[in-house]
Amino acid sequence: MSQKFRLDSGGLINRQQSLNFSFNGQKLQGYVGDSLAAALLANGIHHVARSFKYHRPRGIYSAGEEEPNALLEIGQGSWRVPNSRATLVPLQEGLVARSQLGWPSLGFDLARCFDFSHRLWPAGFYNKTFKWPNWHLWEGMVRNLAGLGRAPEEADPDHYEKTNAFCDLLICGGGPAGLTAALVAGRSGLRVILADQDEQFGGSLLWDTAMLDEKPALHWVASVLAQLEAMPNVMLLPRTTVTASYDHQIATLLQRGHNNAWRECLWTVRCRSTLLATGAIEQSLVFPLNDRPGILLAGAVRHYANRYAVAVGQRVVIATNNDSAYQTAIDLFNHGVNVIAVIDQRKDVPAAMLQNMQDIAVRVCPNAQILSSRGGKRLRGLALQQGQKKFKLNCDALAVSGGWAARLHLLCHARGSLRFDTQRQAFLPERLAEGFFVTGSAAGDSTLVEVLARAETVSNGLCSELGKKALQVYQPKVSPSNLESPAVAVNTLQFSRQRQWLDLAHDATLGDAELAEREGYTAVEHFKRFTTIGMSVDQGKTGNINAFLALSAITGKAISEIGTTTFRPPYTPVTLGALAAGHTGEGYAPRRTLAAENTHKSLQACFEDYGGWQRPDYYPSDREDAHQAINREVLAVRTSVGVYDNSPLGKIEIHGLDAAEFLHRIYMNRVHGLAVGQCRYGLMLNEGGVIIDDGIVTRLAAEHFLINTTSGGASRILGRLEEWSQTEWPELQVLIDDVSAQWSNFTLAGPRSRELLQQLDSDIDFSAAALAHMQATHGMIEGLEARVNRISFSGELSFELNIPSSYANGFLQRLLESGAAMGITPYGIEALMTLRLEKGFMHVGSDTDGETIPDDVGWGKAAMNKAADYIGKRSLTRPASLESNRRQLVGLLAVHQDQVLRSGGHFLPGSSQRTPAETQGWITSAAFSPNLGRHIALGMLRDGRKRLGQIMQVYDAGNHYPVKIVPPCFLDPENQRLES
Amino acid sequence: MLRIPCPWCGLRDLTEFRFGGEAGVLRPLQPDQSSDEQWADYLYYRNNLNGPQLERWVHAYGCRQWFALRRDTHSHAWSDAVPASEKYP
Amino acid sequence: MKRYSAFSLAANALLGHRQWPAAWRKASPRESYDIVIIGAGGHGLATAYYLASKYKAGRIAVVDKGYLGGGNSGRNTQVCRSNYFYPQSVAFYEHSLKLYEQLGHKLNFNIMFSQRGVLELSHSLEEMEMNRRWANAMHMHGIDSEILDRGQLQQEVPNLNLQCRFPIRGGFIQRRGGISRHDAVVWAYARAASKHGVDIIESCEVNGLERSAESITAVNTSRGRIAAGTVVSCVAGHSSQLAAMAGLRLPVQSMALQAMVTEPVKPVINTVVASAAIHVYVSQSDRGEIVIGGGADAFSSFAQRGSLTTTVENAAATVELFPFLSRLRVLRQWAGICDIAPDASPIVGRTAVPNFYISTGWGTGGFKAIPAGGDTLAYSIAKSELHPLLQPYSLQRFNTGHLVDEAAAAGVAH
């Protein structure tokens, strides 16, 4: 077993349970409790990646989500997850990990040539070249070199969940600050959600060697957790990252599954207030060649040693500009790791730190900086300067600390503001968003004592703001007493011919920053976009402060003048699958099915989606293709009788004293004069005069109307009616009731439809005398309450039967039984469209568009003759509505009998046959008419009515053919059939 | 995601509502006497304020009632919500 | 201004890149200009460039309250296309596309214009018909568009999920459409305009317009008063605010349009794929990020942040079309402020105030229009007559009713 760098004891790992995994095919071992990064380091593996632009060898840099280098592909096939941070992947048995960049291999990467030629590729180089002959020639190469990991090729096999929660207080971060706050708030009775992104609660205490009440800190953590778990008003969410804060105190949390049926769950939490106990991220140090494998953040080095019992090297140097890294030296020493020296940028290192180092015999070099590093795939040594003296050190690991940046992203999402604290060289909260609180190192605390104290104070304040009394909680005593100061020295930038990285993930250097200044990209957003600093997958988490320092140094402006870039959601990347959870596949849009669906299925209907409804398109018998079925259905309706399910039809009842007046204002057509029992076809316009819907208006009683809308428009029209009634005409007394779902609607159409109806058990008189065309009646049919309209969209004698939806299946079957002898034929949408096309009845949305006004489709007279105002009327007298040369509804027949007509062809001007040409309009609906034995179509043609009888050319997808313009009615223009 | 205060149902998610534009857009009482400019003003021209604005909203997936809401279009913070049938403040 | 080329790049490499000059002059405001353009986004800078280079229109300044390109120009999803429906729109956007094709060379700045095709999907038979009408409309104008059936679509985009909730029947593609780098377009115009003498004045917020009885005499800014012969508003989402300073109201509503990108991956999506039915469009940037956009949030907003609802919808639609993208992670999400006109078409030209021009209403589709918007507006200002391509887009159309309702063609904002 070769975990050469695993320390003999300690760590939160389970040494009894070892795990097998592989990296780039190499078989390795680790323990339960390891992260993938820890296990790799335990095996002495630092070099796990190649950098984005220069393809330089890179190693693990951190121990958390701020990791800029160690992005690996985890898993294989459809399970593959690219760009996974090795620091966040919990080790599992059989885990397969691969590096991402590096061809032919990680160890030997041909693209390293970009490193050798790096002077040719400064920031923004692509804007200066690759223009000739055009970008396309180069783009393929650039695209193949760009990108990091590989997306899987198949669909995601994992399942994702979504859930919602409500609370009084959302605490982001379960370290010492968050736990204390949860205790205070939980005890006070507030509903609390405590979320932490790590596998377990504890935050920095998971790797801190501080003692609380003279016991290891995790004892305190366990006792607090036990108390919290016992509180029913507190919800604990480990493995859960708060990813974004939205308006009105809504936050999204991404929870990782742990032996769950789901991989990830996206929470939407609505809270009254939010407490950020999110901690701080250590910042890098900028010096020449600061990117080699073996260089890690000092806190991460402690983290690996204390939590995972992993030594990052055998000869470790520490470089810092603040006190916190000294603890790394102490902890490593206690683990028996050789600490060569502490390189401190500061001239005056605090006495307490010097004393600590003296106690463990570690050399300190104040006023020192690193001039460069050496080593290929692993750090081998450093060249340094202290004052005037230059010297070298051999080492295999370097722990760097450039200060700490508070994690305040969520505060920025919520529009709080930040200010730059020069003592801490960090951005701290300036103005809190409403309902936001910050505590812990996120608020600038640097010692555990401060963290615990402030957490209690802040949560006390929070409780009283939320109206609860805070009870005192016990504060544990911290030892050893930590004399660390929060002060961070300014990260001095030195001049060097060697590159100094500001952004490891995007391979952006100080030279790039200087170039940005030279070319004028000094506004912070320009700087960011030109250099791409901060725009990679880590969003600059470890390098943000240094980038600002660089910009400040280069431009001579103070950081407060420069401002900050906006932190955008999400804090850490969120899986698309989790965002989409529940909304894909069938969850994307509900399928609405007809009440009589089972009967339609038994009739072998071919279903199609129309406006969200699954509706029969046609009913093919065994030997038929679609065309044959449709033709048969059309002919059946014209010669005998057919039945059509129109249940999705919008049906809205209007009751009230002012019902007639209301509808009179809504519709273009007159409503006042409509007699009880009469139906009228109506057009609805919007205020622009454009036709938005059409349908039948039926007067059931003096103050009771039933209107039909297109099935696609039902809810939209209902919304409009309610809007006008509530906001514009509240004085009109009307009740609007949507009954679309209550009634199923079956149309019986054909010359024998009346005959069929008269066979049914009914008290309704269906004779021509009693029920004329465009009349309505009601009664009982087959024991069911029924409303009957004698209206026709097919052009045949036709009756619309409305019966209660729950009886739809039975009723349809009854109709089919009754009509069997006369060959009753169920017909679908295709047949209906052909039938109505033969009659020239327009279909709103196909034959009309966003510009069509009543006159365009032959309703001009009715529109103008109505004296009373109605919605849209005024727009019909605007110049555009009145001009000649508008597109008008016409019919068309192909000049050549066998020509197929298709919707979408455009009319060419004159007798020209070529494009480009000015379009004269287009074919809007077309179908094969079995009654005429040829294709027919409707179209919208400029000045169509003046062009009746003319021959015009139609252009369609590279072809053209001649058509004759005819009136839009191909069958029974006298309407004898439907008025019989 | 926003949460909108319906005067009848209380604070609900944005997904339950539909935005109805600025409040206070007055339809001419006699449209046939409006000039083309006046009609265009009613149909199309808006204040489009950056800041507190009085707006119309409808609780489409709830009580289906219209109301007026004063909401800041920059910060999305809202104040009063008034049923449509009362005079707008 | 130093020319950009592979040679100059190599030569400068030897000199440690210390000789590159600033891309544009950071000018200080002078007391007066012939033309003051408010808004240093793509449209404002392009207008300035054409005014200066093509028409030598005198002393020109472009002022911006922040850094140039900080508004929608820096926030869009970079799609360039001319696949519109109405002849007026096709003509206009095709003019823009043609300018884009030459822009990198003309401005000596690689804008990385990649004509990898813009594909519109049809999810139903009705949509197939509508899209056929649309594709033919483009042919009528002499513009490329190719109708694809299911089989051809599968070949074009093999990893597209034809069996999504609304099964895909086919589509049509404009091969000359594609993606360009948004910052590069803005910086290219800024550099070129500056070279031609235009003063670009950043961090200069306009807080009032001084008027005489008939016209605007000066622009009051946070950096002083600037007298102006002509004032041009190119401020997108803030158009109503600026117009109000001139005593005008506009028929636009400002709404948030959001977009998001995933972490970068190796190339998997080679065209821009758009679906009106599922309200999303997806492409892959040259850096490898999958870029996702959808429709605008349906309420007034100047917040530059989209709502979670739309994010979820866009994510769901993306996973529907490309199920293999599900395991990728969203890295960044942002929004702009779109000034949307009632017919979703732009409003460009003169206003009731004789020397005050506006360029607004670009809504969710302003980026593709930058070259033509600048070119035609510059012509109109220089010649005091509206460019023929802009005739359909005047403010007057709202009085006469001649709306250009591209709502259907704009479909999903891009």
Side-chain angles (χ1 to χ4, degrees):
Chain A
M1 183 156 66
S2 66
Q3 293 184 52
K4 196 163 154 224
F5 291 84
R6 181 79 66 182
L7 299 166
D8 290 334
S9 64
L12 299 179
I13 51 175
N14 184 342
R15 294 176 194 259
Q16 308 311 317
Q17 291 187 274
S18 85
L19 299 170
N20 296 299
F21 71 102
S22 79
F23 173 63
N24 280 354
Q26 185 186 3
K27 291 198 186 357
L28 300 160
Q29 284 185 321
Y31 292 116
V32 167
D34 267 337
S35 66
L36 175 58
L40 287 166
L41 290 172
N43 283 280
I45 298 173
H46 280 251
H47 171 36
V48 293
R50 290 274 171 175
S51 69
F52 176 63
K53 188 158 52 160
Y54 304 120
H55 287 251
R56 291 169 60 84
R58 288 286 172 79
I60 296 163
Y61 195 72
S62 74
E65 80 278 9
E66 64 271 24
E67 177 60 36
N69 287 336
L71 301 173
L72 307 181
E73 259 179 28
I74 307 293
Q76 297 169 301
S78 57
W79 298 92
R80 190 165 73 219
V81 182
N83 304 329
S84 300
R85 287 99 173 119
T87 50
L88 296 180
V89 176
L91 194 67
Q92 286 173 329
E93 177 63 30
L95 186 134
V96 175
R98 302 200 66 81
S99 57
Q100 298 193 143
L101 297 179
W103 188 86
S105 73
L106 177 66
F108 181 72
D109 184 358
L110 285 176
R112 185 75 190 273
C113 62
F114 290 107
D115 189 32
F116 304 138
S117 59
H118 72 263
R119 286 189 216 286
L120 286 175
W121 323 115
F125 71 91
Y126 35 78
N127 289 332
K128 298 185 165 84
T129 183
F130 297 147
K131 290 181 267 80
W132 189 88
N134 59 42
W135 172 234
H136 298 118
L137 191 66
W138 307 99
E139 194 191 11
M141 200 169 55
V142 169
R143 281 173 86 86
N144 282 325
L145 283 169
L148 294 169
R150 298 173 301 157
E153 277 144 45
E154 304 93 27
D156 192 342
D158 268 321
H159 176 67
Y160 299 85
E161 278 290 339
K162 271 215 184 84
T163 191
N164 296 287
F166 296 80
C167 65
D168 296 314
L169 176 63
L170 172 65
I171 302 177
C172 310
L179 287 167
T180 302
L183 205 51
V184 171
R187 284 243 190 100
S188 78
L190 290 173
R191 291 173 309 164
V192 176
I193 295 179
L194 174 64
D196 191 288
Q197 62 184 355
D198 209 328
E199 296 291 307
Q200 48 186 236
F201 286 99
S204 57
L205 297 179
L206 292 171
W207 46 275
D208 196 339
T209 44
M211 306 280 263
L212 295 175
D213 288 340
E214 278 149 42
K215 290 205 277 281
L218 289 177
H219 286 223
W220 175 82
V221 172
S223 102
V224 171
L225 281 175
Q227 294 176 68
L228 293 173
E229 271 155 16
M231 296 183 200
N233 53 323
V234 173
M235 189 190 311
L236 297 173
L237 294 178
R239 284 183 299 279
T240 304
T241 311
V242 182
T243 56
S245 185
Y246 292 91
D247 295 306
H248 305 156
Q249 289 282 357
I250 295 179
T252 46
L253 284 60
L254 187 66
Q255 178 185 27
R256 300 188 303 279
H258 184 65
N259 302 325
N260 297 90
W262 42 268
R263 177 174 176 233
E264 288 172 350
C265 177
L266 187 74
W267 290 68
T268 306
V269 173
R270 296 158 188 77
C271 51
R272 287 170 60 205
S273 63
T274 306
L275 174 64
L276 299 188
T278 39
I281 304 175
E282 197 161 29
Q283 300 295 286
S284 57
L285 275 183
V286 182
F287 58 86
L289 300 176
N290 58 336
D291 74 323
R292 295 200 196 281
I295 301 178
L296 292 90
L297 294 168
V301 172
R302 274 181 77 198
H303 196 139
Y304 286 117
N306 296 334
R307 181 177 177 181
Y308 298 110
V310 170
V312 297
Q314 290 170 323
R315 298 173 53 82
V316 182
V317 172
I318 295 170
T320 181
N321 64 355
N322 66 87
D323 286 355
S324 69
Y326 283 84
Q327 191 61 44
T328 301
I330 296 170
D331 286 355
L332 286 179
F333 172 80
N334 288 335
H335 282 292
V337 178
N338 188 2
V339 180
I340 309 289
V342 177
I343 310 298
D344 199 318
Q345 281 185 15
R346 302 172 290 179
K347 219 152 104 182
D348 301 310
V349 178
M353 300 302 122
L354 289 172
Q355 182 60 51
N356 284 342
M357 292 303 99
Q358 200 171 46
D359 290 345
I360 59 174
V362 169
R363 172 183 171 194
V364 179
C365 306
N367 193 24
Q369 29 178 25
I370 302 175
L371 296 179
S372 81
S373 71
R374 64 186 170 83
K377 301 202 176 74
R378 179 63 182 271
L379 181 69
R380 296 243 299 273
L382 302 166
L384 305 113
Q385 176 159 357
Q386 184 176 22
Q388 296 303 319
K389 195 178 82 165
K390 292 199 181 163
F391 63 105
K392 289 194 187 328
L393 288 175
N394 292 336
C395 58
D396 64 355
L398 172 65
V400 298
S401 179
W404 294 85
R407 283 191 183 90
L408 294 170
H409 303 67
L410 295 172
L411 179 63
C412 293
H413 295 174
R415 312 240 215 170
S417 68
L418 307 178
R419 63 171 178 87
F420 190 71
D421 183 301
T422 39
Q423 192 210 23
R424 290 174 170 80
Q425 288 290 296
F427 287 99
L428 292 177
E430 178 180 51
R431 185 180 44 83
L432 296 177
E434 207 185 306
F436 266 75
F437 301 83
V438 186
T439 189
S441 43
D445 296 333
S446 58
T447 65
L448 192 48
V449 174
E450 285 175 321
V451 165
L452 291 170
R454 191 207 290 256
E456 195 186 349
T457 318
V458 168
S459 12
N460 285 341
L462 208 150
C463 285
S464 59
E465 265 217 32
L466 291 174
K468 290 285 189 189
K469 188 159 152 40
L471 303 171
Q472 245 214 322
V473 293
Y474 173 71
Q475 284 282 26
K477 273 200 213 15
V478 182
S479 57
S481 56
N482 195 332
L483 298 170
E484 273 177 32
S485 144
V488 174
V490 178
N491 220 332
T492 46
L493 299 170
Q494 50 177 298
F495 171 77
S496 167
R497 300 194 78 80
Q498 304 279 20
R499 283 167 292 172
Q500 309 183 56
W501 272 265
L502 290 174
D503 183 324
L504 291 168
H506 256 174
D507 247 348
T509 65
L510 189 55
D512 293 327
E514 289 166 344
L515 184 60
E517 190 276 330
R518 225 168 279 132
E519 296 200 41
Y521 298 100
T522 48
V524 71
E525 272 294 323
H526 286 164
F527 179 75
K528 178 179 123 183
R529 287 155 190 250
F530 179 78
T531 61
T532 70
I533 290 175
M535 293 182 72
S536 186
V537 293
D538 65 336
Q539 299 283 272
K541 290 184 170 66
T542 55
N544 217 11
I545 306 293
N546 287 321
F548 276 98
L549 282 172
L551 188 54
S552 167
I554 291 165
T555 57
K557 287 198 198 149
I559 290 197
S560 46
E561 254 186 273
I562 294 172
T564 71
T565 61
T566 327
F567 287 124
R568 300 195 198 281
Y571 169 64
T572 45
V574 177
T575 312
L576 270 175
L579 281 170
H583 286 258
T584 54
E586 288 305 301
Y588 186 81
R591 255 180 236 276
R592 306 177 77 174
T593 56
L594 301 173
E597 192 187 53
N598 286 338
T599 306
H600 292 296
K601 278 190 173 150
S602 72
L603 295 168
Q604 315 294 333
C606 267
F607 288 90
E608 183 65 52
D609 192 305
Y610 286 99
W613 289 92
Q614 290 290 107
R615 304 186 69 170
D617 227 9
Y618 51 89
Y619 301 79
S621 68
D622 289 330
R623 305 279 198 84
E624 283 180 324
D625 67 14
H627 279 120
Q628 290 164 330
I630 297 164
N631 288 343
R632 174 182 52 77
E633 291 171 21
V634 169
L635 288 171
V637 171
R638 293 261 181 249
T639 55
S640 175
V641 60
V643 59
Y644 170 75
D645 189 335
N646 201 18
S647 299
L649 185 71
K651 310 161 201 84
I652 303 173
E653 295 194 26
I654 320 284
H655 294 258
L657 277 174
D658 297 315
E661 174 59 21
F662 178 70
L663 291 174
H664 199 72
R665 299 182 190 183
I666 294 279
Y667 278 98
M668 184 205 82
N669 312 69
R670 292 201 186 95
V671 175
H672 273 306
L674 195 59
V676 174
Q678 285 293 128
C679 303
R680 178 166 293 168
Y681 175 72
L683 286 181
M684 260 194 225
L685 316 181
N686 64 17
E687 281 278 54
V690 170
I691 300 171
I692 57 167
D693 206 79
D694 65 347
I696 300 294
V697 181
T698 308
R699 190 170 208 154
L700 298 175
E703 293 168 9
H704 185 191
F705 289 82
L706 172 67
I707 68 169
N708 289 339
T709 75
T710 61
S711 50
S715 63
R716 188 172 35 96
I717 299 302
L718 175 68
R720 280 178 65 81
L721 295 177
E722 290 172 329
E723 181 180 352
W724 283 89
S725 164
Q726 289 178 34
T727 66
E728 194 63 42
W729 305 316
E731 73 280 5
L732 292 184
Q733 296 188 44
V734 288
L735 282 174
I736 301 165
D737 212 353
D738 177 15
V739 296
S740 305
Q742 277 69 41
W743 298 92
S744 276
N745 172 311
F746 295 96
T747 303
L748 281 180
R752 298 186 75 180
S753 53
R754 179 183 290 122
E755 191 187 326
L756 171 53
L757 277 172
Q758 286 165 335
Q759 273 172 211
L760 298 174
D761 173 21
S762 172
D763 60 2
I764 300 173
D765 184 353
F766 292 108
S767 67
L771 188 60
H773 182 58
M774 296 302 271
Q775 283 189 340
T777 184
H778 61 91
M780 304 293 284
I781 302 180
E782 297 289 321
L784 297 174
E785 195 187 337
R787 286 174 170 168
V788 180
N789 284 357
R790 190 183 148 187
I791 53 180
S792 178
F793 196 39
S794 56
E796 292 304 314
L797 171 64
S798 157
F799 300 84
E800 283 199 3
L801 313 174
N802 290 278
I803 50 100
S805 288
S806 32
Y807 297 96
N809 270 308
F811 187 69
L812 178 57
Q813 281 161 18
R814 187 74 194 93
L815 291 177
L816 292 167
E817 275 166 27
S818 278
M822 31 179 111
I824 185 173
T825 305
Y827 64 102
I829 297 212
E830 288 283 354
L832 179 69
M833 286 294 121
T834 306
L835 289 162
R836 67 100 191 166
L837 194 57
E838 287 176 337
K839 289 297 293 179
F841 293 150
M842 71 172 181
H843 184 229
V844 171
S846 313
D847 302 306
T848 70
D849 64 17
E851 293 190 340
T852 314
I853 60 175
D855 184 67
D856 298 337
V857 289
W859 283 91
K861 252 213 237 153
M864 289 317 201
N865 286 348
K866 181 172 167 182
D869 187 46
Y870 54 88
I871 299 174
K873 182 182 182 193
R874 175 62 185 81
S875 291
L876 299 179
T877 48
R878 293 189 300 192
S881 305
L882 296 174
E883 65 188 5
S884 60
N885 209 24
R886 287 186 63 91
R887 289 189 297 276
Q888 295 170 336
L889 187 68
V890 294
L892 32 141
L893 291 170
V895 164
H896 306 299
Q897 177 97 2
D898 297 329
Q899 176 70 46
V900 172
L901 296 176
R902 294 187 67 160
S903 163
H906 281 238
F907 297 104
L908 290 160
S911 55
S912 120
Q913 293 183 8
R914 297 187 332 170
T915 57
E918 196 191 335
T919 182
Q920 301 297 300
W922 39 79
I923 300 180
T924 56
S925 325
F928 177 77
S929 161
N931 288 294
L932 280 80
R934 60 189 298 169
H935 273 77
I936 54 173
L938 291 177
M940 294 296 281
L941 170 64
R942 282 205 187 287
D943 252 345
R945 292 196 285 268
K946 288 210 188 94
R947 288 169 140 164
L948 293 175
Q950 284 181 21
I951 308 289
M952 299 199 67
Q953 291 287 334
V954 167
Y955 168 86
D956 191 0
N959 301 313
H960 54 81
Y961 53 85
V963 295
K964 183 164 174 207
I965 310 302
V966 300
C969 178
F970 303 91
L971 204 69
D972 184 27
E974 304 299 311
N975 288 337
Q976 285 172 339
R977 303 170 74 98
L978 57 82
E979 283 176 9
S980 62
Chain B
M1 176 73 87
L2 307 187
R3 304 187 77 201
I4 305 286
C6 172
W8 298 272
C9 307
L11 203 58
R12 306 290 303 173
D13 281 356
L14 175 69
T15 41
E16 295 183 15
F17 296 87
R18 217 174 55 240
F19 176 66
E22 294 171 22
V25 176
L26 296 176
R27 187 171 196 265
L29 286 170
Q30 314 263 42
D32 54 353
Q33 292 180 6
S34 305
S35 65
D36 284 341
E37 285 74 20
Q38 288 167 326
W39 188 242
D41 196 78
Y42 152 68
L43 273 187
Y44 306 124
Y45 282 76
R46 296 291 179 265
N47 294 320
N48 194 30
L49 298 177
N50 181 1
Q53 162 173 277
L54 193 64
E55 309 176 325
R56 307 185 318 145
W57 287 82
V58 61
H59 194 185
Y61 290 96
C63 60
R64 301 190 67 83
Q65 297 306 300
W66 283 85
F67 57 96
L69 178 70
R70 193 174 297 281
R71 184 182 67 98
D72 188 310
T73 56
H74 185 79
S75 70
H76 294 166
W78 42 260
S79 49
D80 341 294
V82 174
S85 52
E86 294 176 22
K87 273 288 188 204
Y88 301 137
Chain C
M1 175 183 92
K2 193 168 219 128
R3 261 194 76 77
Y4 289 163
S5 72
F7 299 114
S8 64
L9 185 61
N12 271 277
L14 294 174
L15 299 169
H17 294 291
R18 276 179 235 294
Q19 303 290 327
W20 291 110
W24 63 85
R25 278 176 305 113
K26 296 218 194 259
S28 286
R30 287 191 259 178
E31 277 191 11
S32 77
Y33 292 89
D34 295 302
I35 303 173
V36 174
I37 298 173
I38 306 172
H43 282 267
L45 290 168
T47 306
Y49 166 73
Y50 291 112
L51 276 170
S53 66
K54 235 168 145 176
Y55 302 107
K56 318 271 186 264
R59 288 176 316 163
I60 305 166
V62 184
V63 303
D64 197 290
K65 70 179 184 197
Y67 55 92
L68 59 82
N72 294 344
S73 296
R75 292 161 195 269
N76 58 74
T77 49
Q78 313 188 119
V79 177
C80 300
R81 62 187 176 94
S82 64
N83 56 351
Y84 277 73
F85 182 72
Y86 290 110
Q88 312 91 304
S89 314
V90 178
F92 183 86
Y93 290 99
E94 176 59 17
H95 179 51
S96 208
L97 194 61
K98 289 211 171 75
L99 287 171
Y100 260 118
E101 284 172 329
Q102 297 305 317
L103 205 61
H105 288 289
K106 189 112 201 295
L107 302 183
N108 181 235
F109 197 111
N110 189 1
I111 58 167
M112 298 162 74
F113 181 40
S114 167
Q115 292 174 285
R116 42 192 50 251
V118 175
L119 174 63
E120 304 276 348
L121 301 175
S122 309
H123 294 261
S124 67
L125 298 175
E126 279 167 22
E127 259 201 298
M128 282 295 276
E129 289 185 0
M130 280 301 169
N131 284 346
R132 197 180 183 88
R133 190 197 288 186
W134 185 354
N136 281 331
M138 291 168 64
H139 290 181
M140 292 296 282
H141 202 86
I143 293 179
D144 62 308
S145 88
E146 200 182 311
I147 299 173
L148 304 173
D149 62 28
R150 270 181 74 108
Q152 292 163 320
L153 197 54
Q154 189 83 98
Q155 281 191 324
E156 191 75 38
V157 190
N159 47 23
L160 184 62
N161 176 24
L162 296 183
Q163 286 314 310
C164 60
R165 168 65 178 87
F166 296 108
I168 298 169
R169 303 309 172 98
F172 76 102
I173 185 168
Q174 179 178 33
R175 295 199 185 278
R176 285 170 54 242
I179 306 271
S180 176
R181 177 110 196 94
H182 56 32
D183 288 326
V185 172
V186 172
W187 295 344
Y189 271 117
R191 178 165 168 263
S194 178
K195 171 184 168 199
H196 279 94
V198 172
D199 279 0
I200 301 176
I201 307 162
E202 297 169 273
S203 300
C204 180
E205 181 167 5
V206 172
N207 44 45
L209 297 173
E210 249 178 52
R211 291 195 58 168
S212 70
E214 290 176 353
S215 59
I216 297 178
T217 48
V219 179
N220 282 321
T221 78
S222 56
R223 291 174 71 172
R225 176 185 184 279
I226 304 174
T230 301
V231 177
V232 187
S233 165
C234 292
V235 293
H238 293 101
S239 297
S240 299
Q241 282 61 46
L242 191 57
M245 291 183 196
L248 301 170
R249 284 205 323 163
L250 293 176
V252 294
Q253 278 207 86
S254 296
M255 296 182 167
L257 178 68
Q258 63 175 271
M260 55 184 168
V261 291
T262 67
E263 299 173 315
V265 291
K266 292 295 180 197
V268 280
I269 295 181
N270 295 319
T271 43
V272 180
V273 179
S275 164
I278 305 195
H279 298 299
V280 76
Y281 57 103
V282 181
S283 63
Q284 187 168 21
S285 74
D286 285 332
R287 264 214 289 270
E289 302 150 328
I290 307 292
V291 183
I292 299 166
D297 283 348
F299 53 90
S300 299
S301 174
F302 289 80
Q304 291 182 317
R305 46 196 273 137
S307 81
L308 176 61
T309 326
T310 310
T311 312
V312 166
E313 280 170 16
N314 291 349
T318 303
V319 171
E320 266 306 280
L321 291 181
F322 297 106
F324 71 93
L325 291 180
S326 167
R327 286 170 100 74
L328 298 195
R329 286 176 292 246
V330 174
L331 182 61
R332 225 171 28 243
Q333 181 205 353
W334 66 90
I337 311 173
C338 294
D339 43 334
I340 302 179
D343 56 358
S345 288
I347 304 172
V348 189
R350 279 211 140 96
T351 64
V353 179
N355 66 339
F356 184 61
Y357 286 79
I358 45 163
S359 174
T360 181
W362 296 104
T364 58
F367 179 69
K368 71 178 83 70
I370 287 173
D375 186 44
T376 54
L377 182 53
Y379 172 107
S380 308
I381 294 170
K383 298 199 185 274
S384 286
E385 82 184 38
L386 204 56
H387 189 287
L389 289 177
L390 289 181
Q391 307 275 3
Y393 297 125
S394 80
L395 252 183
Q396 282 307 300
R397 72 180 188 271
F398 297 105
N399 296 339
T400 61
H402 285 96
L403 273 58
V404 185
D405 190 6
E406 284 286 346
V412 177
H414 55 305

